[in-house]
Amino acid sequence: MRWQNRRLSDNVEDRRGGGGGGGMRNIGIGGVIIIVVLALITKQSPQALLNKVQQSTGGTEQTTSQTVTKASDEEAQFASTVLANTEDVWTALFKEMNKQYEAPKMVLFTDVDQSGCGTAQSAMGPFYCPADDRVYLDLSFFNEMEQRFKVVGDFAKAYVIAHEVGHHIQNLLGISRKVQAMRSQLSEKEYNKLSVKLELQADFLAGVWAHHAQRMDNILDAGDIEEALNAASAVGDDKLQEAANGRVVPDAFTHGTSAQRMRWFKKGFDTGNIKDGDTFNASDL
């Protein structure tokens, strides 16, 4: 990925070294790793375990933030550069829809931090918090991607960030609120199906970003899309469940299979058209 010497985002808060506490209500691409594995080991539902995380409490230590600069370490610069590119792309796309894009903040933290949704924990992976419009990222997750899941490459990391920004897009468009409002009306099994569609749409939106980022800034090297597809495949519910317990439980899926995640990212990249990403009414995911 061609990311060096490009614009850094002004919307990155570097809180690394600080900490906080509370409960968390929204996990992202990495959170499914812990939830699914623990669910299969303890024979509890993923939703029950997530509820326990939401109800956890802790301290509220205040943290200091600083802006990522050219003097910051390379991984922080990378994350800031990718976020800046998502800002450029989504600002242009929202303008085409006669809307004004409000960019999210990105918080870089170490181990634990306080988010508007409660505690941001490194073990839960990157996530987007709609309560404060922030993406929370412990950069150590990228090392875990390489060491545990054998997913390598800058663009694989960019996909992770773009997926969480995709959740921000869903929040701005009111999609997330509609899904959340249906939680109390549905069984866990039925709500999981909606969760899968929400996550696959975020994958699609990450693909839309990649399409326009390449058209606008020529960011891609050979093999970059394959890196993103490898990342999407690595965090498929079926692959994670199979690795954890040797069997697959479709009713417990919350993010989609490896094939589905790859398909929707690729569809977003191929079309670049946000209108093609209606996972909720798709006849075949």
Side-chain angles (χ1 to χ4, degrees):
M1 178 180 177
R2 302 167 189 160
W3 65 271
Q4 292 87 350
N5 301 316
R6 296 181 184 268
R7 180 177 77 84
L8 299 177
S9 174
D10 294 326
N11 290 311
V12 179
E13 300 174 9
D14 193 349
R15 301 182 189 174
R16 288 174 294 173
M24 189 175 72
R25 296 182 306 210
N26 188 27
I27 64 173
I29 189 173
V32 67
I33 297 169
I34 302 300
I35 292 295
V36 170
V37 171
L38 289 179
L40 292 172
I41 292 175
T42 63
K43 300 187 183 304
Q44 299 181 63
S45 72
Q47 188 60 52
L49 286 172
L50 180 56
N51 288 341
K52 290 181 180 180
V53 174
Q54 294 169 352
Q55 295 166 3
S56 65
T57 58
T60 57
E61 178 185 350
Q62 296 297 313
T63 62
T64 57
S65 299
Q66 58 185 359
T67 302
V68 171
T69 67
K70 291 184 179 180
S72 303
D73 60 277
E74 186 172 291
E75 282 198 332
Q77 288 185 42
F78 171 79
S80 181
T81 301
V82 173
L83 185 65
N85 193 276
T86 67
E87 293 165 356
D88 295 342
V89 167
W90 287 112
T91 294
L93 293 181
F94 266 56
K95 185 176 181 180
E96 291 178 5
M97 296 186 289
N98 295 315
K99 298 178 182 292
Q100 182 174 349
Y101 181 60
E102 299 174 7
K105 300 280 189 179
M106 175 185 286
V107 176
L108 304 180
F109 70 98
T110 303
D111 296 330
V112 64
D113 196 75
Q114 183 70 17
S115 81
C117 298
T119 301
Q121 299 178 12
S122 176
M124 302 305 293
F127 70 95
Y128 169 70
C129 174
D132 59 15
D133 291 325
R134 281 167 167 77
V135 172
Y136 287 82
L137 172 64
D138 186 328
L139 292 171
S140 67
F141 179 74
F142 292 150
N143 293 329
E144 183 175 7
M145 286 175 59
E146 295 180 359
Q147 296 171 9
R148 183 175 179 181
F149 300 104
K150 312 304 179 185
V151 174
V152 298
D154 286 339
F155 202 71
K157 302 173 185 178
Y159 154 77
V160 172
I161 296 172
H163 173 93
E164 299 307 333
V165 172
H167 284 308
H168 178 65
I169 303 303
Q170 291 171 318
N171 191 44
L172 292 179
L173 297 178
I175 298 170
S176 302
R177 288 189 294 275
K178 290 180 181 178
V179 172
Q180 185 64 30
M182 298 182 69
R183 179 185 289 271
S184 62
Q185 305 172 26
L186 300 173
S187 66
E188 180 180 310
K189 176 181 176 180
E190 291 303 313
Y191 186 78
N192 283 348
K193 293 180 180 179
L194 280 184
S195 177
V196 166
K197 293 177 180 181
L198 193 70
E199 294 295 334
L200 293 180
Q201 188 177 66
D203 284 329
F204 172 84
L205 294 171
V208 170
W209 161 74
H211 173 100
H212 291 280
Q214 173 64 5
R215 183 177 60 82
M216 293 167 60
D217 294 322
N218 193 30
I219 68 169
L220 297 179
D221 284 320
D224 278 351
I225 294 303
E226 286 72 17
E227 290 177 4
L229 291 173
N230 287 339
S233 175
V235 291
D237 284 327
D238 54 339
K239 183 169 289 189
L240 293 173
Q241 289 184 356
E242 181 73 26
N245 208 35
R247 62 191 182 94
V248 175
V249 185
D251 287 347
F253 288 176
T254 57
H255 284 62
T257 67
S258 294
Q260 288 172 333
R261 302 199 69 170
M262 294 169 67
R263 176 188 173 197
W264 281 98
F265 171 83
K266 188 62 162 51
K267 183 176 182 179
F269 177 73
D270 287 343
T271 70
N273 189 344
I274 193 172
K275 295 180 180 180
D276 292 332
D278 186 1
T279 55
F280 296 94
N281 292 306
S283 58
D284 180 18
L285 292 178

